[in-house]
Amino acid sequence: MITFEQAGFDYGDGQILSDLSFELAPGSFHFLTGPSGSGKTTLLKLCYLALKPTRGAVHVFGEDSRTADADQVAHLRRRIGVVHQDCRFLDHLSIADNIALPLEVSGRMSAHNLGNRDALLDWVALDHRAKALPPELSGGERQRAALARAVILSPDILLADEPTGNVDSEMGERLMRLLIELNQMGRTILVATHDMALIRQVKEDVRARVLRLVGGHMQVAGAEL
Amino acid sequence: MIGRIASELTSTRVSDRVVPTNNRTARLTLVASAAMAFLAVLALSAALAAAILGAGWKATLETSTTIRLMGEGEELERAIAVTLDILATVPGARNAEHLDMAAQADLLAPWLGAAFPETALPPARMITLKDEMTEANRAALVARLAAEVPGATFENHGAWRDPLIETAVSVRNLGGVAVALSLLAQSVLVMLAASAALAANRGVIETLRLIGATHGYIRKAFVRRITLRVGLGALIGTMAGAALLLILPEGSVALAPTGWGWAILPTIPFVAMIASFAATRATANHMLTELT
């Protein structure tokens, strides 16, 4: 689904990632680990085409990200759900509208899909907060809402950037359970985290692999957990 | 073109709300657009008044001509009669009118005072006429007067009329320049407001891109919102300007447009919307390209 071929990236003032080669196979579950500043977020950005590799290539659903135009990128992103560390909501829209936004921008707004949106609100236990604005939500609620928005288009891949970074351990585990549920439904999952305790907590419940980044290099590429 | 504008201005329920409605730049865009439309109404009205005034001066002055007759008693009365007879035969010499002593005294009263005795005036008379003659007819008239009316002087007042006509034309042209500058300033301000609104919503644009919105969707949402906001502001400003013109005291109505002049005012919000549409579209395209 996503293939890195000796991919590297630098912002022009020094190399962030270099010589990355790995593949996210359909239905797989990967943890992307590494210390802060090791390039985890940059790697995720390469996955959802927010960045293009400065060396090597990244193929997303068979498309070379370096040559994809703006419209192709938009359509590819509809197949990739992303849970951003800072959630990235539109603060003037309710949580329910934020979750429905991918339906709107992809032209799939319908009564049936809005029913799915309500089911998702229920799934992430936010049905009672549907009309709240994002700033009114707690960190854990925001992360769960971001997860609901990320999966509303039934994406093939779900990327999560430190989804448990701003929540307590109980909420972190709850979020991980939701991600494992999605994986069991056949979704490909890539979770960036530096929280090794969290990984240990869920390792019995999911067959996951680890990608470990250190200093922009892939130290471990796909070892079983 | 109209189809494309209409398509970019239509919306769905959510797309209509994607762009925040109640932030500072939104209010500024509305106020700036209203203020510029208000000023455009005043500039347009002033320009129309100047154009009408200039055209009136020009039309009056261009044809204003007099024939001065010197003499006394019967000799002068005969000269007047002969001159009027000659003028009646010349094509283009219209509205020939003899000013008697009383009329001449009235004419000079602003300079000499109303109490100035008529008998103190020089023994001269004037015949006024509207000169719509061809060059040939005018030359023939001057020749006939020289031959048949000794002491008659044909005077077209060129020495002071030509600068005045030039002034009238300048006043009219300046009015046009004022309107053009006002519309240009309005367009520039609308462009700046559109750019500021887009810049203020950069975060919204980035989020929309991340969840799979195409550039067309994002551009449409912003173009629609900003264009309609500018249109609403311009409509408010135009109505306020028109209301001010309507309530001007009777004596100062020279500024208020007349007839078809009023019909021009409703074009101001449309001009503002077209400028906003083009500016927002170009700015949005530029910003989206930058983000890619």
Side-chain angles (χ1 to χ4, degrees):
Chain A
M1 290 196 149
I2 296 182
T3 310
F4 279 60
E5 292 169 359
Q6 294 181 308
F9 183 81
D10 68 69
Y11 286 101
D13 55 353
Q15 200 152 294
I16 304 295
L17 296 173
S18 61
D19 203 24
L20 302 181
S21 294
F22 65 91
E23 183 183 1
L24 296 182
S28 63
F29 194 123
H30 285 82
F31 282 108
L32 175 61
T33 68
S36 294
S38 59
K40 298 190 293 295
T41 299
T42 302
L43 188 149
L44 288 182
K45 284 182 176 175
L46 289 170
C47 290
Y48 61 81
L49 301 101
L51 296 174
K52 293 178 180 179
T54 49
R55 282 179 307 284
V58 175
H59 287 92
V60 180
F61 303 119
E63 293 282 346
D64 188 335
S65 66
R66 294 168 301 178
T67 55
D69 64 25
D71 277 353
Q72 281 175 309
V73 167
H75 286 96
L76 288 171
R77 281 183 181 155
R78 294 173 190 174
R79 299 175 64 186
I80 306 169
V82 185
V83 180
H84 299 275
Q85 200 170 357
D86 54 359
C87 295
R88 287 188 167 269
F89 290 120
L90 302 191
D91 285 347
H92 63 286
L93 293 183
S94 71
I95 282 301
D97 280 342
N98 265 288
I99 292 173
L101 212 47
L103 293 172
E104 159 62 27
V105 303
S106 60
R108 294 187 217 169
M109 190 69 96
S110 66
H112 176 259
N113 282 334
L114 282 175
N116 287 347
R117 187 266 318 265
D118 294 339
L120 276 175
L121 275 165
D122 191 40
W123 179 62
V124 295
L126 285 174
D127 44 335
H128 63 296
R129 302 289 273 154
K131 290 184 180 170
L133 294 175
E136 298 166 0
L137 266 54
S138 69
E141 287 174 327
R142 287 168 64 85
Q143 290 291 347
R144 281 182 281 147
L147 180 58
R149 185 184 64 185
V151 299
I152 196 161
L153 290 179
S154 297
D156 299 307
I157 300 177
L158 186 79
L159 309 174
D161 190 5
E162 302 280 3
T164 61
N166 298 319
V167 297
D168 59 32
S169 60
E170 189 185 339
M171 183 57 70
E173 194 176 338
R174 194 167 160 190
L175 276 165
M176 287 308 302
R177 298 273 165 229
L178 292 173
L179 291 171
I180 290 167
E181 264 185 61
L182 286 168
N183 181 239
Q184 286 163 349
M185 289 189 269
R187 303 282 178 265
T188 305
I189 311 282
L190 174 60
V191 180
T193 181
H194 66 276
D195 187 350
M196 297 308 289
L198 182 79
I199 297 174
R200 280 192 292 273
Q201 264 180 341
V202 298
K203 74 175 189 179
E204 300 302 324
D205 306 317
V206 63
R207 196 170 165 204
R209 291 177 178 274
V210 171
L211 302 169
R212 180 165 174 77
L213 274 176
V214 177
H217 295 275
M218 193 66 82
Q219 200 179 56
V220 179
E224 282 201 34
L225 196 62
Chain B
M1 174 71 178
I2 289 171
R4 199 171 68 186
I5 292 175
S7 132
E8 297 242 345
L9 295 184
T10 53
S11 75
T12 62
R13 191 184 71 88
V14 177
S15 76
D16 205 26
R17 294 188 292 126
V18 161
V19 185
T21 54
N22 199 27
N23 57 23
R24 196 163 152 264
T25 51
R27 286 192 294 273
L28 277 178
T29 306
L30 191 76
V31 170
S33 172
M36 290 311 297
F38 182 81
L39 293 176
V41 168
L42 298 188
L44 191 62
S45 301
L48 285 174
I52 291 166
L53 193 67
W57 284 359
K58 189 169 182 288
T60 306
L61 293 172
E62 262 181 349
T63 57
S64 170
T65 302
T66 54
I67 296 172
R68 191 177 69 239
L69 303 168
M70 301 297 288
E72 288 183 47
E74 284 185 10
E75 184 194 351
L76 183 58
E77 294 303 325
R78 193 193 66 79
I80 292 167
V82 171
T83 303
L84 289 172
D85 287 346
I86 291 171
L87 289 171
T89 64
V90 180
R94 301 188 191 284
N95 304 340
E97 188 185 353
H98 162 231
L99 296 185
D100 59 20
M101 286 306 285
Q104 279 187 208
D106 284 347
L107 197 65
L108 294 170
W111 289 273
L112 303 178
F116 195 81
E118 283 177 24
T119 50
L121 289 173
R125 296 288 179 82
M126 279 196 294
I127 291 173
T128 62
L129 68 140
K130 199 171 174 184
D131 179 357
E132 293 175 1
M133 293 175 279
T134 61
E135 285 294 329
N137 285 340
R138 190 177 300 112
L141 171 65
V142 171
R144 275 190 74 184
L145 288 173
E148 298 177 32
V149 190
T153 309
F154 183 87
E155 177 58 78
N156 65 4
H157 316 297
W160 58 271
R161 189 186 69 179
D162 291 346
L164 271 177
I165 289 174
E166 276 176 31
T167 304
V169 171
S170 297
V171 165
R172 199 174 56 186
N173 291 343
L174 276 175
V177 170
V179 170
L181 283 176
S182 168
L183 290 177
L184 181 67
Q186 185 175 12
S187 301
V188 169
L189 196 94
V190 162
M191 284 180 198
L192 289 174
S195 299
L198 282 165
N201 287 296
R202 195 183 175 98
V204 173
I205 292 172
E206 284 176 350
T207 299
L208 290 172
R209 291 184 71 236
L210 288 175
I211 61 172
T214 59
H215 286 188
Y217 176 91
I218 297 169
R219 189 183 60 222
K220 185 175 164 177
F222 278 88
V223 166
R224 173 183 153 74
R225 173 55 57 82
I226 294 171
T227 301
L228 293 182
R229 189 177 295 147
V230 165
L232 176 65
L235 186 65
I236 293 169
T238 303
M239 287 171 71
L244 177 72
L245 293 176
L246 281 174
I247 61 169
L248 280 175
E250 198 66 28
S252 51
V253 185
L255 255 188
T258 52
W260 59 268
W262 285 106
I264 297 179
L265 298 188
T267 63
I268 291 172
F270 289 106
V271 170
M273 284 177 77
I274 290 169
S276 167
F277 178 84
T280 313
R281 210 166 187 278
T283 312
N285 279 337
H286 179 70
M287 183 181 278
L288 287 165
T289 306
E290 245 183 11
L291 285 171
T292 303

